[in-house]
Amino acid sequence: MTATTTESVGTRPSPEANYRVLQRIILPAENQRDTVALYVDGGAATGPLKDTMNGKRSVQAPTVVRASEAVHAEDMVDRRSMTVRAGVRLSFGTYFNAFPASYWRRWTALESVRLSVTLEGVGAVIVHKSNARGALQRVESVRVSGAETVTFDLPLKPFGDGGWYWFDLVASSQPLKLIEASWQGLDHGRPLGEVTLEITTMNKPDFCVANITSLGQSPEALEHVKEVLIVDQGSQKVSDQAGFEEAAALLKGRLRIINQSNLGGSGGFSRGMYEAVQNGSDYVLLCDDDIVIEPESIERLLTFSSYCVRPTLVGAHMFDLYNRTALHTMGEVVNPWRFQPDKPVAEQVTGYDLAVTNLRSTSWMHRRIDADYNGWWMELIPTSVIKEIGLSLPVFIKWDDAEYGLRAKAAGYPTVSLPGAAVWHISWGDKDDLVGWQAYFHERNRVIAALLHSPYERGGRLIRESNYMDVKHLISMQYYTEAGRIMALNDILAGPDQLHAIQPERIKEIRALAADFTDAVFKPRVDEFPAPGSSKPPRRGQSFQQPSVAKLVPWALKTLVRQIGLPVSASKKDRPQAVVAHQDNKWWRMSQYDSAVVSNAEGTASSWYQRDPGVVRKNLVEATRLHARLLMEWPRLRTAYREALPRITSIPAWEATFAAHTDSELTR
């Protein structure tokens, strides 16, 4: 049976046309049923939500939509098939099963899409669409009785700025069974190509074994995978993990492990790029180690990329590993003035929970997001692009993925963060990598990326904000963090040609510094520190407050005078004034203490922050001097880094680094 909407007349393909599956309708694996709201939804679609108190759109309205109230685990037959109970309406207008029409409209040459639904029973199929503003529209409905396959040919023309297609199933007085369904497109007549799936790992062997097991149990996901490559840079080897041999056997000879020195994420991912070029793959699929993969994502990324009108980097989205229906972001962009990651649209909410408010009710998710880059938790990169623009910068971690996306964009190769393709990964909310040893890499690599790609003469606002961060860390007694940032500035000024040489060394040097700073020496229990001593009560009984913009300058001057000029009493050196929770570790609060025990972001340990006026004076002068020099030398450094970029990211440059740091290889 074929259902043709009025609006599709004129774009309907001929009956004999060949179709290829673009996106299958899928259901959660048996061990992932807590993510059911991402696959099928029994809740209502409310349209754009409003805050009744002030008339503004709400970012999340937990009392409005019950995302999976009519979905029962026992109704799911397998990953393709389920039963809709009598009298129930279920929607597939969900993250993994709605069709992101605007992305296909923008980046491919497809003019229409076909929905094919195979059913058994009595009921109806109702097709819907949305526009970029999130307005929902009913397209067509068809009643079914018995065993039938219904198809809908749907145009992509109206989706210039955003919008999705999806369908609902409605059972009559009898159950309705979904046998299978898919979104299809006219076959472009080209093979999808072969992909090297590469995982960079550092002491996460359990995650790696779980992921290769999942892949091995999903033969459709491996159909176009030439090789699964694990670049193991840790001391806890994947090949020694329990269950490794059984997992490896599932891949049927397609697993290879390269054991190499710890070259960071950029070194591991560059190895994946290099090996994919060397083995003749059409693509490399870069994956983080501490993720859970939705196997269907591999086929979706590859299929989308094959339809793109030009070589395109196609990335997956990230859901929170510990709150599995919370979406990190719909796309990543870099603010060129501040040179910081930024929201692509103001309405976007980080960590948005689709089990609380569904896709159909979230208007900002219907607008297409055009990304500058995709995180390397999972991204598909054509090897033709790698051959032209090179491998990753040799920067260990941080900003490697963002810089690569900006570099590809400048060369004419866009990045698409594709809805419906995703992994689960530990969210950034469970980390604080701006403090501690990673601060070195954040500072150094952000500035290097700006030297390479900032459109502003001296980096826009970057240098000013960077100097502000030094002040914040120093008045917060985060002296280890500041030591790393000062080291980063010196390395930036030393130029680009040292980056390969220091790639495996800086991490060792930075970690070794931690023993010299009490704020970097962690203990698992607060009781291991001296008990907090009595301190002066808050003024007028009020707790510390962030200074207003109007009062910020006098507050800062007063605070700096105190930080630099006032000595610390012996009692505060011997005992902390307070125990501070991580979420209260703010610069405007910590600057008022002389001594405090502070917990880390993970909640696993605490360290003792102790004010030292001499350290503040010395590092404030040094950081200011280095930033002044960076500002003055920006034009020279920009030229040096831009001239060096093709050389230091080239295959020969990385080949030499790999040769010096490869330990062994293992195939299974």
Side-chain angles (χ1 to χ4, degrees):
M1 178 178 181
T2 299
T4 304
T5 69
T6 302
E7 62 185 332
S8 71
V9 173
T11 64
R12 186 176 57 200
S14 62
E16 65 274 10
N18 292 323
Y19 280 84
R20 170 173 274 164
V21 171
L22 308 178
Q23 178 178 312
R24 298 180 184 88
I25 301 304
I26 56 174
L27 298 166
E30 191 170 348
N31 62 348
Q32 300 274 7
R33 293 290 164 83
D34 55 337
T35 64
V36 65
L38 303 179
Y39 297 84
V40 59
D41 185 11
T46 64
L49 303 174
K50 299 289 183 178
D51 185 329
T52 56
M53 295 296 292
N54 56 25
K56 295 181 180 179
R57 186 170 295 164
S58 173
V59 296
Q60 190 96 40
T63 61
V64 176
V65 178
R66 293 165 293 175
S68 55
E69 60 182 4
V71 182
H72 302 272
E74 59 268 28
D75 295 336
M76 299 181 197
V77 179
D78 53 36
R79 294 215 68 198
R80 302 273 184 264
S81 179
M82 73 172 297
T83 298
V84 184
R85 297 187 178 193
V88 169
R89 176 172 180 158
L90 294 181
S91 179
F92 291 84
T94 56
Y95 176 83
F96 279 118
N97 286 322
F99 185 75
S102 64
Y103 290 79
W104 287 85
R105 164 75 162 80
R106 170 66 180 88
W107 300 109
T108 79
L110 275 183
E111 296 182 355
S112 64
V113 62
R114 171 172 287 183
L115 170 63
S116 175
V117 187
T118 300
L119 300 156
E120 187 177 287
V122 180
V125 184
I126 306 173
V127 180
H128 300 269
K129 70 176 181 179
S130 64
N131 60 22
R133 297 181 301 279
L136 314 183
Q137 302 173 30
R138 183 179 183 275
V139 176
E140 182 61 280
S141 67
V142 171
R143 290 192 60 80
V144 295
S145 180
E148 299 185 46
T149 296
V150 295
T151 61
F152 302 82
D153 292 318
L154 306 163
L156 294 177
K157 187 175 181 180
F159 296 93
D161 294 324
W164 303 69
Y165 275 124
W166 68 92
F167 68 95
D168 295 353
L169 295 181
V170 184
S172 67
S173 56
Q174 304 173 31
L176 179 65
K177 186 175 182 180
L178 171 67
I179 306 300
E180 63 176 2
S182 61
W183 302 95
Q184 304 171 4
L186 282 173
D187 193 339
H188 51 41
R190 301 184 300 275
L192 293 187
E194 291 185 310
V195 59
T196 291
L197 191 159
E198 188 270 340
I199 300 172
T200 294
T201 186
M202 174 70 177
N203 293 336
K204 298 285 195 315
D206 50 343
F207 274 97
C208 290
V209 169
N211 275 315
I212 61 176
T213 299
S214 175
L215 292 170
Q217 293 171 344
S218 307
E220 290 174 342
L222 290 173
E223 182 179 353
H224 301 282
V225 174
K226 184 170 188 173
E227 180 178 46
V228 175
L229 174 65
I230 296 176
V231 179
D232 193 339
Q233 304 185 134
S235 57
Q236 301 171 34
K237 294 301 180 184
V238 174
S239 56
D240 295 334
Q241 177 71 16
F244 167 74
E245 293 295 346
E246 294 82 356
L250 296 172
L251 299 182
K252 299 178 180 178
R254 281 184 284 189
L255 176 64
R256 181 160 62 112
I257 296 178
I258 296 177
N259 294 299
Q260 69 179 29
S261 303
N262 183 15
L263 302 177
S266 71
F269 291 129
S270 286
R271 190 63 182 261
M273 295 177 181
Y274 171 79
E275 297 294 338
V277 170
Q278 296 303 111
N279 71 21
S281 292
D282 301 290
Y283 302 90
V284 63
L285 181 60
L286 303 179
C287 296
D288 225 334
D289 54 355
D290 53 347
I291 61 172
V292 173
I293 298 173
E294 166 50 76
E296 191 74 14
S297 298
I298 299 170
E299 188 81 1
R300 292 184 180 187
L301 294 174
L302 190 58
T303 300
F304 183 85
S305 183
S306 76
Y307 274 85
C308 287
V309 296
R310 63 177 62 86
T312 300
L313 289 68
V314 188
H317 287 154
M318 184 191 101
F319 283 90
D320 187 341
L321 184 62
Y322 299 132
N323 181 17
R324 295 201 173 190
T325 52
L327 177 67
H328 171 57
T329 178
M330 287 287 283
E332 308 269 2
V333 298
V334 174
N335 181 315
W337 176 241
R338 300 183 60 212
F339 223 83
Q340 280 280 57
D342 203 357
K343 290 183 179 182
V345 295
E347 299 87 356
Q348 179 171 280
V349 178
T350 302
Y352 193 82
D353 194 341
L354 288 165
V356 175
T357 308
N358 60 29
L359 169 66
R360 293 167 294 144
S361 302
T362 307
S363 57
W364 61 264
M365 291 186 73
H366 294 254
R367 178 175 176 175
R368 190 188 69 249
I369 301 298
D370 294 335
D372 286 337
Y373 69 98
N374 199 92
W376 281 350
W377 46 75
M378 179 181 269
E379 184 171 37
L380 185 77
I381 304 175
T383 52
S384 61
V385 174
I386 297 169
K387 292 173 186 176
E388 180 178 337
I389 72 170
L391 283 63
S392 170
L393 271 176
V395 291
F396 200 78
I397 58 169
K398 307 300 176 188
W399 282 89
D400 46 356
D401 47 11
E403 188 282 324
Y404 200 85
L406 293 172
R407 195 191 329 161
K409 183 179 181 180
Y413 304 117
T415 294
V416 176
S417 293
L418 183 66
V423 300
W424 288 268
H425 188 283
I426 297 173
S427 87
W428 314 139
D430 296 321
K431 302 178 180 180
D432 187 3
D433 51 15
L434 292 175
V435 175
W437 63 270
Q438 294 183 72
Y440 165 87
F441 297 103
H442 267 293
E443 173 70 1
R444 187 194 67 174
N445 299 347
R446 176 192 178 196
V447 175
I448 290 175
L451 285 164
L452 291 169
H453 301 291
S454 174
Y456 297 99
E457 183 62 26
R458 294 182 188 268
R461 190 180 165 85
L462 181 149
I463 295 177
R464 186 193 313 175
E465 287 193 0
S466 177
N467 212 171
Y468 289 165
M469 288 298 295
D470 290 317
V471 174
K472 288 181 177 180
H473 287 303
L474 285 170
I475 66 175
S476 300
M477 301 176 285
Q478 295 166 347
Y479 303 141
Y480 174 55
T481 295
E482 184 57 25
R485 288 174 57 84
I486 287 173
M487 184 187 293
L489 291 168
N490 279 303
D491 280 348
I492 294 163
L493 291 164
D497 288 316
Q498 62 163 346
L499 290 175
H500 272 282
I502 67 175
Q503 174 94 337
E505 302 303 326
R506 278 295 181 266
I507 179 63
K508 302 172 188 175
E509 296 168 8
I510 295 165
R511 299 299 287 265
L513 283 176
D516 299 333
F517 296 91
T518 62
D519 56 289
V521 177
F522 288 90
K523 297 180 180 180
R525 297 183 60 83
V526 171
D527 294 343
E528 296 181 57
F529 297 97
S534 59
S535 61
K536 184 179 177 181
R539 187 168 180 259
R540 298 178 182 176
Q542 297 178 346
S543 60
F544 299 126
Q545 300 291 324
Q546 182 173 356
S548 65
V549 174
K551 296 180 179 179
L552 183 58
V553 172
W555 179 93
L557 291 173
K558 179 181 177 182
T559 299
L560 281 173
V561 168
R562 174 183 174 277
Q563 288 276 334
I564 294 171
L566 293 183
V568 179
S569 67
S571 64
K572 293 173 183 175
K573 291 181 179 180
D574 295 336
R575 300 175 69 183
Q577 292 172 270
V579 174
V580 179
H582 175 263
Q583 59 264 43
D584 296 327
N585 184 7
K586 310 296 183 185
W587 56 271
W588 43 268
R589 176 178 285 112
M590 298 308 300
S591 62
Q592 304 308 302
Y593 289 113
D594 290 328
S595 175
V597 172
V598 183
S599 60
N600 62 8
E602 297 81 7
T604 58
S606 300
S607 63
W608 192 353
Y609 287 22
Q610 296 176 297
R611 184 168 71 86
D612 186 329
V615 172
V616 177
R617 281 194 299 270
K618 175 186 173 183
N619 285 347
L620 187 59
V621 169
E622 181 66 359
T624 303
R625 182 186 72 82
L626 290 171
H627 278 97
R629 185 180 164 194
L630 179 61
L631 182 64
M632 182 176 63
E633 297 186 29
W634 189 274
R636 177 189 68 81
L637 289 166
R638 178 180 58 206
T639 299
Y641 276 91
R642 292 184 181 186
E643 287 180 350
L645 180 64
R647 182 174 67 255
I648 63 178
T649 61
S650 68
I651 287 178
W654 272 108
E655 201 167 40
T657 296
F658 298 144
H661 294 285
T662 298
D663 299 325
S664 61
E665 289 193 22
L666 172 72
T667 58
R668 283 291 187 273

